[in-house]
Amino acid sequence: MNENNLEYTLNKLGFDMVNSSQKDKEILRFIDKALGVLSNDGVYAYYVFCLSKDKKDDKKYSDIFIKKPIETLKPFLQSKYSAINKAEDFFQELSKDIYKLLFYKESLEKALIYARYHAKAMGE
């Protein structure tokens, strides 16, 4: 039942982002930066910004901030998004529908805000 509740899902996504960081201070600081990019420049800029933080052998930023949110929010989008496996294809398809794009942006912003609060509550 809770899986269909958007507020619960966003809360869990924010909590999972912080837990995935394993108290890595760099990742916790990244949450603020990613939120700023998403709010000011949009979803695609957020996607590129997160990709830019990945290192050649370490994809933790894209795992935590791109893959996890996509998989978490897919059930709240139309079924056509479920079949898309590549993040770039997902964002290109999402950009074709302004309402879905704004829904995704607002949902992700809320999850990142919750992640900030979770990080502070855990003593960052």
Side-chain angles (χ1 to χ4, degrees):
M1 179 170 158
N2 288 336
E3 294 148 4
N4 294 329
N5 182 325
L6 180 60
E7 191 66 24
Y8 168 81
T9 302
L10 296 176
N11 186 351
K12 186 171 180 343
L13 177 60
F15 188 76
D16 289 346
M17 286 176 169
V18 173
N19 274 350
S20 298
S21 71
Q22 299 172 341
K23 297 200 175 201
D24 181 339
K25 297 272 186 199
E26 187 177 325
I27 290 179
L28 295 176
R29 281 190 295 269
F30 182 79
I31 292 171
D32 287 335
K33 293 177 184 175
L35 179 59
V37 170
L38 178 64
S39 297
N40 294 325
D41 302 318
V43 172
Y44 193 74
Y46 167 86
Y47 166 67
V48 173
F49 179 69
C50 292
L51 281 181
S52 73
K53 293 299 284 183
D54 275 341
K55 297 182 173 96
K56 191 173 186 175
D57 298 330
D58 187 5
K59 305 288 184 199
K60 65 183 171 191
Y61 286 94
S62 57
D63 287 343
I64 296 170
F65 296 101
I66 296 172
K67 289 180 183 174
K68 180 74 174 170
I70 288 174
E71 293 306 317
T72 302
L73 294 174
K74 267 184 184 178
F76 294 96
L77 299 169
Q78 295 170 336
S79 61
K80 69 179 180 180
Y81 296 100
S82 297
I84 302 171
N85 293 324
K86 285 183 61 182
E88 187 170 334
D89 295 341
F90 174 83
F91 286 114
Q92 285 179 356
E93 188 64 30
L94 190 65
S95 69
K96 294 176 183 174
D97 185 336
I98 189 70
Y99 298 108
K100 297 294 178 197
L101 183 65
L102 289 174
F103 168 78
Y104 189 85
K105 180 181 183 257
E106 289 177 12
S107 298
L108 188 54
E109 282 175 338
K110 205 166 192 179
L112 289 168
I113 289 168
Y114 290 162
R116 289 174 61 198
Y117 286 124
H118 283 301
K120 288 185 183 203
M122 295 171 66
E124 189 177 347

